[in-house]
Structure formats: C-alpha cells, structure tokens
Amino acid sequence: MAPRQGITSVLLASVRWRAAHTVTITAGMCASQKREYSVDYLHKCYEDHKKLWESKKMPENVNLRSVFGNNELDLRDIDVYGFDYDYTLAHYSVAVENLIYDLGKNVLVTKYRYPEDIKNLKYNRDLAVRGLHYDIEKGLLMKLDQFQQLQFGSIYRGMTRLTQEEVMSIYGSRSLPLHYVEGHLKGDTKMAHLADLFSLPEMCLLSQVSQYFMDNDLSYHSVPLFNDVKAAISSIHPEMHRVVGRNISEYLIKDPGLVTYFDRLKSKNKELFIITNSPFPFVNVGMTYLLGENWREYFDVVIASAKKPAFFTDCMRPFRELNEEILVQTWGPVTSLEKDKVYLEGNLKQLQEMKGWQGQELLYFGDHPYSDLADVSLNHSWRTGAIIWELDYEIQCLNSMEYKKASGWLVVLQSLIESCQDFDDEASRQIVMKWVEERDQLRQKTKDMFNQQFGSVFRTHNNPTYFSRRLFRFADIYTSRLSNLNDYSINHTFYPRRGVLPHEYKSLFV
C-alpha cells in the first residue's frame, strides 16, 4: 500500500483495530484491501501522519479586526444601537488595573487591619485571565469548561498549583454539579464567576494574600478573606473614578475609529443610547476624551448609575433626571426621555415604552455576558454584541507559527490516537500511550502560549470554556473593539460558522 493510502485509511475510515487480527483498511474511495496488523505498521501510521501534516499549508491568519457571528444578525433590521461604557466604549490601559489593585490592597491593611507586609505585594497582570471561578469556601481559583469540568493544571490555592490527585481528593470528581457552580442564581453562592476585566486585580490580590498567609504559617479562613477582598475592591471605585478622571490620558486608550463609527451610524439616522453603571461625571470625562466636547450629540438617551443588571429586571426603579449644575438627581417624575438630558437608575420596561423601541430592532453592546447581555437577549429579544478586548492578544497567539504548528499536529495526533486506541496487546497499548503523552505535552504547550497558569480565555483543550459558552449563548456577535465594525457595511449580515456536529462528516471534502 502506498504511504498516502495508509494515512487516509486512518484519518477517514471508522475502523476499530485489533491485534493479531486481519483488519479492513479503507483508502479514500478505493476498494477495501486487507493486510495483517503489526507493531511496525503502527509506527508507520505515525510517520505517515507526520509526513501528511508537514506537507499541509498552515491556515491563514485570523484578521484582528474581524467581527465573529454566533447567531445570524442582519444589520438592516437594526434601527437602535445601545452601548455600555466601561470596557465597551472605554478601553482602559493596564494602569487602571494597577490602580485598582493598589487601592484595594491599601484598604485591606488600613481598614481591615491585614498585615503591613501586604502593602509590599505587586500586581501581576499575567497571573489570571477573565472567566475563572473562585470556590469561596475552599479558597481555590480555577478554570472550568462548558460542562463544568475542572481543567487539571489550572487550579490554584493562593499561587500554588494543585496536583490532579489533590483536586480529586477535594471534589471527588472532575465535573462540578451545576447547582454548585451556579448556586448564586438561587441565593446559595459557593462559587464566584469572575467574568469582567475589573475582576483581574481582585483575583490577583486574593491569590497573593492567600499565599502570604500560607507562606507565613498564618491561620486564615477563605470565606472572610474573599469577602474582605471583594469589599475592599468595591469600596475604592469612587477614589478610582477621581484618580482616572484627573489623569484620563494615562488610563484611557483613545481609538480614533470610534468617532468614525458613530458618524456612520448617525448618517444613517440610527438612534443611539448609553446605559452604564458608572457615575455621570466619570463617564463625561472619559467620553469627552474619546469623542470630543460634543459627545452627547451622538446619543438620543444617556443613562448613568443604572445599576445593571437590576436595570433590566426591576420595573420598580423609575428614572431620575440629573441636575447637572449640582450633580444631584431631581425629585419630579420623568415622563419622557429627552436627548439633551442625563438620567439615572430607571428600568428597561420604561425605556422601551417611552422611546417606542421594540426587541429585534435594538442592538446592545457590552463587555459582560451576564450583567450586560444575558437578560436583554433571553427575555427582551434584543440583539447583542460583546466587546472582548482579550481577542487582540489571543488572535495574535493563534496567528503565531509556533501555535499553528503545535495545534495542527495536536489535531492530527489525536485523530491517530482515536483510531488506534482499541488494541488489546501490551505492545500496541504502550505505543498509543506514548502518543497520548506527546498529545498531553502539546496540550500544555498550546495552553502556555496564552497564559502559563490558565491558558486561553476561550478554550480548555478540546472544549470551550465556561465563559465561552455564556459568550456564545448571550452575544449574537463579538469582536475586540467597536471600531472593527467600520470594516463592514451598515447593512451587513453576520452569519455563524457552520460547525461540524459529532455525528456528522469529519469533513465535507475528501
């Protein structure tokens, strides 16, 4: 048999091999042939797969400015565009994360009387990624996939990685029950999902303080520690707003394409609104820096201090108008939402009623799958877009030749393992186990290219992460920044990629 026929037989045929038995090998669309199995043939299969993989061209680079579709979205249907502010319109530099970390760290020491040495801790931006879970009672920071499965090698107590044996002794299973992971939805919070970029300093501080206690043999309880760090980080937002507002160019990254995008929307008579949890003075400074002094001319409705996600669910929160001269909300009822005014609090039901907006004509952009997108997508039929800043970095990793080579061979090798895993004799099992060890090394290598502790935000080996599953469910489209939409027509239709289901063809092309 020619080498290429041997390769095709393993890649395309659903064959279960058995040692010391005659097996049928399907070579492409050719007639079946027969040959005796041997250990040498297994080695040859491996070498043939390697040669085939090396002969293939690497995939084209992913465009950093692409907008990706999870669900079909025709922009011709969209008349109203809405936006969150933080990490949607406003792209913060790492300096903001350092600021949040330092302010929170100081609160732990000055208010909660944590050891003075904690002031010497330094923020480590490379420690964590967005979308991790924290087991509050057990004090573990971890990465889960879409099936609530733990990713071994990505579970930490403090800064210390737990072995697979230690993890299994704690949980007794690789998969966590849904009620354990999502108990907060029913008032029984055991796990915290750290799904926004502001949570990165919080995760770092939590991990480093835990490690400090362990290194210094100081007894501590993980629940109060979590509560203290969370309270400390929450309390510093007013001071963070003041510092950022005074030094806006140091903390905010200006994107010239943002003005272009809003000009395009207004030229097509689209209505625009902003709903943000941040206070208006903070938003005003940032938007002035990003879009200019007349930034409010772009927006038909401006809503600050909205307290999302309650804004989307609580109908008993009426709008309050902001008196901009003294920065105090007025007491009178709000019966209409006017272009030149600023509103506080409020609720989605009144917003739609006062403006006459309906479900599918709205497209709302946010960075947080839960507080920004989940409710409007599930319960109000709004179309949604997610701004995921990490995509810039992750796509750069995907486009590297090192990643392409490692991930490409990983896919081919796993296909070989899948086809040859059922041998009964010891010699063949040992060969396949060596392939599995090589696969595991490739998995670790590709994971480390994104983040050495937790890997990619979006993937755990074969599966999407827990964060990805929510992103794909609640966002019709996603991209790294709003200005990427300038590369598309205002009438563009985004289509989801047709994925291959497990029971379908491995490939439509032979």
Side-chain angles (χ1 to χ4, degrees):
M1 178 181 292
R4 190 172 181 84
Q5 288 178 311
I7 296 165
T8 309
S9 69
V10 182
L11 284 175
L12 299 180
S14 298
V15 178
R16 294 301 182 191
W17 301 76
R18 290 292 183 269
H21 289 281
T22 301
V23 295
T24 301
I25 302 173
T26 304
M29 300 301 292
C30 300
S32 297
Q33 304 180 43
K34 292 186 178 181
R35 66 174 294 161
E36 291 296 320
Y37 158 76
S38 70
V39 171
D40 288 341
Y41 186 70
L42 267 187
H43 289 304
K44 187 175 187 305
C45 281
Y46 178 91
E47 293 302 323
D48 285 349
H49 275 72
K50 196 85 169 182
K51 290 176 183 177
L52 176 63
W53 167 74
E54 290 172 347
S55 72
K56 295 296 184 180
K57 292 182 179 179
M58 293 294 105
E60 293 184 2
N61 284 350
V62 179
N63 185 354
L64 283 169
R65 294 183 55 83
S66 289
V67 177
F68 305 97
N70 297 320
N71 190 19
E72 186 170 326
L73 172 62
D74 188 346
L75 294 182
R76 289 174 296 184
D77 297 332
I78 305 301
D79 296 319
V80 184
Y81 286 74
F83 307 90
D84 177 39
Y85 174 70
D86 294 301
Y87 284 111
T88 301
L89 297 175
H91 183 196
Y92 293 104
S93 68
V94 178
V96 167
E97 298 171 26
N98 279 284
L99 176 63
I100 292 172
Y101 176 89
D102 288 338
L103 291 174
K105 177 181 64 176
N106 290 335
V107 169
L108 280 183
V109 175
T110 58
K111 181 177 179 180
Y112 295 98
R113 303 302 183 186
Y114 277 60
E116 283 284 335
D117 286 346
I118 285 175
K119 284 189 175 181
N120 297 324
L121 298 175
K122 302 295 183 183
Y123 180 52
N124 180 1
R125 179 61 176 79
D126 297 324
L127 173 66
V129 298
R130 191 186 351 184
L132 302 178
H133 281 79
Y134 188 78
D135 189 317
I136 300 171
E137 186 175 15
K138 295 179 174 60
L140 301 179
L141 185 63
M142 66 189 68
K143 185 178 180 183
L144 301 179
D145 73 5
Q146 64 175 337
F147 302 110
Q148 297 97 238
Q149 291 183 127
L150 300 154
Q151 183 178 16
F152 293 131
S154 294
I155 302 167
Y156 287 78
R157 175 174 284 113
M159 308 287 289
T160 305
R161 178 184 296 169
L162 271 61
T163 65
Q164 181 172 332
E165 292 73 24
E166 289 173 323
V167 174
M168 290 299 294
S169 70
I170 293 171
Y171 290 109
S173 171
R174 183 179 180 179
S175 180
L176 300 183
L178 184 63
H179 69 82
Y180 192 89
V181 176
E182 299 186 353
H184 61 282
L185 299 177
K186 297 182 179 181
D188 183 20
T189 303
K190 292 183 172 66
M191 303 278 284
H193 188 211
L194 304 161
D196 62 58
L197 288 169
F198 281 135
S199 66
L200 294 179
E202 181 178 346
M203 285 187 275
C204 182
L205 185 58
L206 194 57
S207 298
Q208 291 179 334
V209 173
S210 297
Q211 191 64 45
Y212 173 86
F213 284 143
M214 291 189 291
D215 290 345
N216 289 276
D217 242 358
L218 298 174
S219 179
Y220 76 101
H221 196 294
S222 60
V223 174
L225 173 59
F226 174 81
N227 292 334
D228 289 347
V229 170
K230 187 175 184 63
I233 294 293
S234 298
S235 71
I236 57 88
H237 278 81
E239 179 61 20
M240 184 267 287
H241 290 155
R242 284 192 289 272
V243 174
V244 172
R246 290 196 300 263
N247 307 275
I248 196 67
S249 62
E250 179 183 347
Y251 294 103
L252 210 55
I253 300 173
K254 183 180 288 190
D255 182 358
L258 203 56
V259 173
T260 303
Y261 180 58
F262 285 121
D263 284 338
R264 292 179 67 221
L265 292 179
K266 296 308 288 186
S267 71
K268 298 298 183 181
N269 299 315
K270 304 297 183 181
E271 294 184 273
L272 276 61
F273 66 94
I274 181 172
I275 304 175
T276 174
N277 288 348
S278 292
F280 178 73
F282 178 68
V283 174
N284 186 41
V285 173
M287 291 298 286
T288 299
Y289 177 72
L290 295 172
L291 299 179
E293 293 286 343
N294 299 320
W295 69 269
R296 284 168 60 182
E297 293 181 4
Y298 288 111
F299 294 93
D300 297 275
V301 179
V302 175
I303 303 167
S305 301
K307 299 181 181 178
K308 294 178 292 181
F311 180 91
F312 301 126
T313 59
D314 188 352
C315 296
M316 297 300 292
R317 299 173 64 254
F319 283 104
R320 308 286 297 275
E321 183 183 335
L322 177 68
N323 183 325
E324 295 184 55
E325 292 183 1
I326 58 175
L327 295 178
V328 174
Q329 65 268 31
T330 60
W331 294 104
V334 173
T335 57
S336 64
L337 299 175
E338 301 176 26
K339 182 178 176 65
D340 297 324
K341 296 182 178 179
V342 177
Y343 300 94
L344 309 177
E345 300 184 18
N347 64 83
L348 181 146
K349 183 174 182 292
Q350 283 192 325
L351 172 66
Q352 292 194 142
E353 290 174 350
M354 290 181 183
K355 298 303 296 182
W357 294 337
Q358 296 298 324
Q360 297 259 327
E361 68 176 345
L362 282 84
L363 173 57
Y364 184 70
F365 289 94
D367 72 294
H368 198 298
Y370 293 145
S371 63
D372 288 326
L373 307 180
D375 191 75
V376 296
S377 173
L378 294 174
N379 299 319
H380 301 285
S381 300
W382 288 17
R383 309 311 300 272
T384 52
I387 304 301
I388 308 296
W389 295 99
E390 299 97 317
L391 275 172
D392 275 349
Y393 169 75
E394 295 242 350
I395 291 175
Q396 289 175 29
C397 292
L398 292 174
N399 288 342
S400 70
M401 189 56 65
E402 184 182 11
Y403 180 83
K404 288 180 181 180
K405 288 182 177 180
S407 61
W409 174 234
L410 174 59
V411 171
V412 175
L413 180 60
Q414 186 153 303
S415 176
L416 177 63
I417 294 169
E418 181 181 7
S419 299
C420 301
Q421 63 182 314
D422 293 328
F423 295 124
D424 293 329
D425 64 291
E426 183 62 25
S428 60
R429 283 200 299 268
Q430 289 300 319
I431 292 172
V432 174
M433 284 305 300
K434 287 183 180 179
W435 296 349
V436 170
E437 290 175 8
E438 183 180 359
R439 182 210 59 181
D440 291 345
Q441 291 170 2
L442 287 168
R443 281 181 167 184
Q444 186 65 40
K445 181 178 181 179
T446 53
K447 170 194 166 185
D448 290 349
M449 289 180 193
F450 296 95
N451 178 279
Q452 290 194 348
Q453 287 72 235
F454 297 100
S456 168
V457 173
F458 304 97
R459 176 180 289 281
T460 60
H461 302 321
N462 293 332
N463 295 331
T465 59
Y466 184 97
F467 176 82
S468 289
R469 177 184 173 187
R470 272 65 189 167
L471 173 66
F472 301 156
R473 176 63 184 89
F474 301 138
D476 292 303
I477 59 175
Y478 66 99
T479 188
S480 62
R481 61 193 66 215
L482 272 170
S483 60
N484 292 345
L485 286 150
N486 286 328
D487 295 347
Y488 300 82
S489 163
I490 207 75
N491 296 318
H492 187 86
T493 299
F494 295 98
Y495 296 98
R497 182 178 299 172
R498 180 182 172 87
V500 178
L501 301 177
H503 67 275
E504 294 181 330
Y505 312 109
K506 289 184 178 180
S507 172
L508 293 174
F509 306 99
V510 178

